[in-house]
Amino acid sequence: MSSIITVSIFQSALELGLMYALVALALFISFTILNIADLTTDGCFTLGCAVGAIVTLSGHPFLGIIAAMISGACAGFVTALLQTKFGVESILAGIIVNTALYTVNIFIMTSQVSIFGVDTIFSLAKDSFLQQFFGDWYKVVILVVIVGLIALALWWFLGTTLGMSIRATGDNAEMVKSSSINPTFTITVGLCLANSLTALSGVLIAQYQKSADINIGTGMVTIALASLIIGQSLIGNKGSTLRRVIGTIAGSVLYRFIVAVALRLSVPAEALKLVSAMIVAVAIALPYVRKKAALKKREFANYRENKSGREEKNA
Amino acid sequence: MLRIDNISKTFNPGTVNEKVALKNLSLDLKDGDFATIVGSNGAGKSTMFNAIAGTFIVDEGNIYLDGDDITFKKEHVRSKVIGHLFQDPLKGTAPSMTIEENMALAYLRASNSSNRMFSRIKQSDKKAFREKLAMLDMGLEDRMKQPVGLLSGGQRQALTLLMATFVTPKLLLLDEHTAALDPATAEKVLDLTKSIVAERGITCLMVTHNMHQALEVGNRTLMMNAGQIVFDTCGAEREKLTVSDLLEKFKVGAGEELDNDRVLLS
Ligand SMILES: Nc1ncnc2c1ncn2[C@@H]1O[C@H](COP(=O)(O)OP(=O)(O)O)[C@@H](O)[C@H]1O
Ligand SMILES: [Mg+2]
């Protein structure tokens, strides 16, 4: 066992899990709360990487984070605009923006960018008291702080009047309109917020890996959905908002553990996307298949009953 | 208070499914009027309500509320001053949110709501919600942290009514809001409706299939057929009217019997 899970694997899974948890939280907002499949995610993640990397390269790691989040919010805004003001189907709106972002991302960073010779939040932390205190765990510590703050802020926000309006929009759209809430506004705010978190995840990953490439976001939406679903099965999708937010983060961390163990067991890295896709497909299909199976069972019981009835009559 | 001026609405125009749902309909409601509406299925009662509430924009004509032309106003803007309840008790509340959260959303209709955008539910809000809920006498005041999805249909409809009138609306539209409830609950919700409307003098329109209700509740009775108001009575004339008179009026106005399967004579 000790050969499968070493401390350093545990540590890096925790680091990655915390960073990618922000994408899972983004989908928690768009997919779970707003009930919109927002496919801007992949391109938006790369956008966050690209914008963040370029600004970081110019010597401003914190500004890079802010710039990335703003760029993500802009991407979310365009997706929201297409679906609320121009009647584009929500899934299609995400796909369109995702495609457009490919070109935008190429413009920003060409196909690849490396972040060397400049500060990142991680290198700054390394040089600070954090490393003296926590040794190798300093990255985990700042990520816990960042993700913890985001989680708290999200929980607080979702309990405000605006946050509640956003939740109601996904819960009962008709009720929302008749409560004087403008669904166009709530959808827009929700998607901007979600995509700014996706982009934040992107810039953190870029600073962490000290590099970014144009394909870094490919499949991100599926991976994040898998994390979200794992989190929901850990904690259940009922319960207080805080519980669900924490569950989502836990899901992402657990997902990264599963990946780390799989890699350790020599599962090829290319297989991971297939596995994530299967987790998502199965988890979403399961309730439906269960219902179908129950129906078939009833149908079969009914058929047997009729048959035995007929046989009795014949006898 | 409410003035509807010659409105028309055709669904799916130019197709085989073309349906004229409202035909040059006009109506004038005075401040504090409580009118009941009867009419057979497909007469256009819900469509008229949707036109007033702003679910769609009418093809022709104008709608005025309290002197303002609201013909082209969006639904969420009109809903600041118009409450709308439906037959389906699930339509008016958000099921996965708690009772107090639903009430907080209803409170948004108060005019100063934009300052409240970033405020959470306060202790004083909870106290106000609790007092309101206690009026329902359904024990909901002790379940404020529970999701609304756990409530029964009757409880949800009562809550919806409370929410729609939390901030007193200028106009309340009740579209068969007790029709899907069991008789005892329906009566309770209707009593509640009557007392809230009377207490605050809310101008109100109520669709019903119960002929007695149509004559006894409120101060005015309207009858609709084929997208028009075919009969309109109030005052002394209405007081003398019996259920059979009303059915007779329908025959004259519509040239056919009111569909019997849905009409309640008791
Ligand atoms: N959204 C819609 N699209 C097409 N037809 C509609 C729509 N809403 C209502 N109708 C049609 O308009 C007519 C009036 O419907 P409605 O107002 O619901 O009647 P009711 O008096 O029973 O409430 C019906 O024939 C109905 O089929
Ligand atoms: Mg109707």
Side-chain angles (χ1 to χ4, degrees), chain B residues 37-49:
Chain B
I37 302 175
V38 292
S40 51
N41 252 342
K45 305 178 297 291
S46 299
T47 306
M48 178 173 83
F49 277 14

Side-chain angles (χ1 to χ4, degrees), chain B residues 40-47 87 175-176 207 209 262:
Chain B
S40 51
N41 252 342
K45 305 178 297 291
S46 299
T47 306
Q87 179 172 353
D175 194 351
E176 301 185 53
V207 174
H209 274 96
R262 294 211 59 206

Side-chain angles (χ1 to χ4, degrees), chain A residues 122-141:
Chain A
F122 299 105
S123 73
L124 288 173
K126 194 178 179 186
D127 298 337
S128 74
F129 71 97
L130 280 171
Q131 204 209 5
Q132 285 166 12
F133 265 44
F134 301 103
D136 281 348
W137 293 85
Y138 69 93
K139 284 185 196 166
V140 173
V141 172

Side-chain angles (χ1 to χ4, degrees), chain A:
Chain A
M1 200 67 203
S2 65
S3 65
I4 294 178
I5 302 175
T6 63
V7 172
S8 81
I9 285 180
F10 178 82
Q11 192 183 345
S12 71
L14 197 54
E15 288 164 0
L16 290 174
L18 285 168
M19 285 185 284
Y20 286 118
L22 296 167
V23 189
L25 284 178
L27 290 193
F28 173 68
I29 297 171
S30 58
F31 190 72
T32 309
I33 291 187
L34 273 175
N35 207 5
I36 290 174
D38 176 20
L39 298 186
T40 325
T41 308
D42 289 10
C44 180
F45 183 83
T46 312
L47 179 70
C49 283
V51 170
I54 295 299
V55 178
T56 305
L57 260 182
S58 70
H60 300 286
F62 292 105
L63 201 59
I65 288 176
I66 293 168
M69 290 183 77
I70 292 174
S71 70
C74 291
F77 182 78
V78 176
T79 303
L81 197 68
L82 285 176
Q83 55 185 283
T84 55
K85 291 286 182 200
F86 296 102
V88 181
E89 197 77 47
S90 67
I91 291 186
L92 194 54
I95 293 174
I96 290 171
V97 174
N98 188 33
T99 306
L101 282 176
Y102 184 84
T103 307
V104 173
N105 291 333
I106 291 272
F107 277 153
I108 297 173
M109 68 169 176
T110 66
S111 65
Q112 197 178 343
V113 58
S114 301
I115 309 175
F116 282 111
V118 291
D119 283 332
T120 66
I121 59 162
F122 299 105
S123 73
L124 288 173
K126 194 178 179 186
D127 298 337
S128 74
F129 71 97
L130 280 171
Q131 204 209 5
Q132 285 166 12
F133 265 44
F134 301 103
D136 281 348
W137 293 85
Y138 69 93
K139 284 185 196 166
V140 173
V141 172
I142 44 174
L143 288 173
V144 165
V145 171
I146 293 175
V147 176
L149 284 178
I150 296 275
L152 272 180
L154 186 59
W155 163 76
W156 179 86
F157 174 73
L158 290 175
T160 63
T161 310
L162 178 56
M164 284 191 285
S165 309
I166 292 174
R167 285 161 58 206
T169 308
D171 205 19
N172 186 349
E174 254 179 279
M175 170 249 188
V176 156
K177 280 189 224 158
S178 52
S179 310
S180 83
I181 299 165
N182 182 356
T184 298
F185 179 66
T186 51
I187 289 173
T188 306
V189 173
L191 289 185
C192 286
L193 183 65
N195 283 289
S196 73
L197 292 184
T198 302
L200 173 60
S201 177
V203 61
L204 290 179
I205 289 287
Q207 292 197 359
Y208 178 87
Q209 298 183 346
K210 293 180 182 290
S211 70
D213 70 82
I214 192 69
N215 293 318
I216 197 167
T218 309
M220 193 55 67
V221 70
T222 313
I223 291 171
L225 267 180
S227 308
L228 186 66
I229 289 167
I230 292 171
Q232 274 181 5
S233 51
L234 276 181
I235 269 181
N237 62 356
K238 296 265 160 5
S240 75
T241 313
L242 187 61
R243 202 179 135 98
R244 294 164 78 192
V245 166
I246 292 172
T248 304
I249 296 169
S252 172
V253 172
L254 188 60
Y255 175 83
R256 288 293 150 185
F257 273 119
I258 297 170
V259 169
V261 171
L263 288 175
R264 194 73 183 159
L265 295 172
S266 333
V267 174
E270 302 82 50
L272 290 176
K273 282 196 175 139
L274 178 62
V275 175
S276 315
M278 276 159 46
I279 293 177
V280 172
V282 169
I284 292 179
L286 210 55
Y288 180 79
V289 172
R290 265 201 207 122
K291 218 166 77 187
K292 277 271 184 204
L295 203 67
K296 274 275 171 245
K297 215 167 128 189
R298 267 180 50 202
E299 197 182 325
F300 187 60
N302 192 33
Y303 165 78
R304 288 225 326 218
E305 220 168 78
N306 289 349
K307 200 170 143 195
S308 64
R310 265 203 310 280
E311 275 161 7
E312 262 167 44
K313 227 160 80 185
N314 289 347

